[in-house]
Amino acid sequence: MASAMIHIAVANEINKVLKMDQRKLLIGSIAPDMGKLIGRDKSITHFVDDDSPDIPNMDLFLKKYKNNLNDPFVLGYYIHLYTDYLWFKYFISEVYNEEN
């Protein structure tokens, strides 16, 4: 998964355009990874399923929260998941394929 600093940097860049409540957006952007500190399973905090245990299922998140994306915390959470989605689906797979 991308580091907390990556999640914060991505959220900051997006917020340069959106100009939402920065504090709430940034808290949302690191919230999924806080789940491990309180014993929450990644399948719940990152909306992953059995098909791809590392890659967030963006459809699952949107099914539940699509009407709340104007909330800075919820959007920050979405940004986190989408960053992880890109990280695992494209970046990590490309690095792994180059090494093998």
Side-chain angles (χ1 to χ4, degrees), residues 39-96:
R40 294 284 184 198
D41 188 77
K42 186 176 179 178
S43 65
I44 295 168
T45 61
H46 285 73
F47 291 81
V48 295
D49 52 34
D50 293 337
D51 295 335
S52 300
D54 288 322
I55 301 174
N57 183 327
M58 303 308 297
D59 291 333
L60 289 176
F61 181 85
L62 290 174
K63 183 177 179 181
K64 188 169 185 176
Y65 293 109
K66 71 179 175 186
N67 294 327
N68 301 99
L69 290 175
N70 59 338
D71 178 309
F73 178 86
V74 174
L75 184 60
Y77 205 113
Y78 179 81
I79 291 168
H80 177 106
L81 296 179
Y82 194 67
T83 302
D84 277 359
Y85 173 85
L86 295 173
W87 181 266
F88 284 110
K89 186 150 179 110
Y90 299 105
F91 180 75
I92 294 298
S93 66
E94 286 184 27
V95 170
Y96 179 76

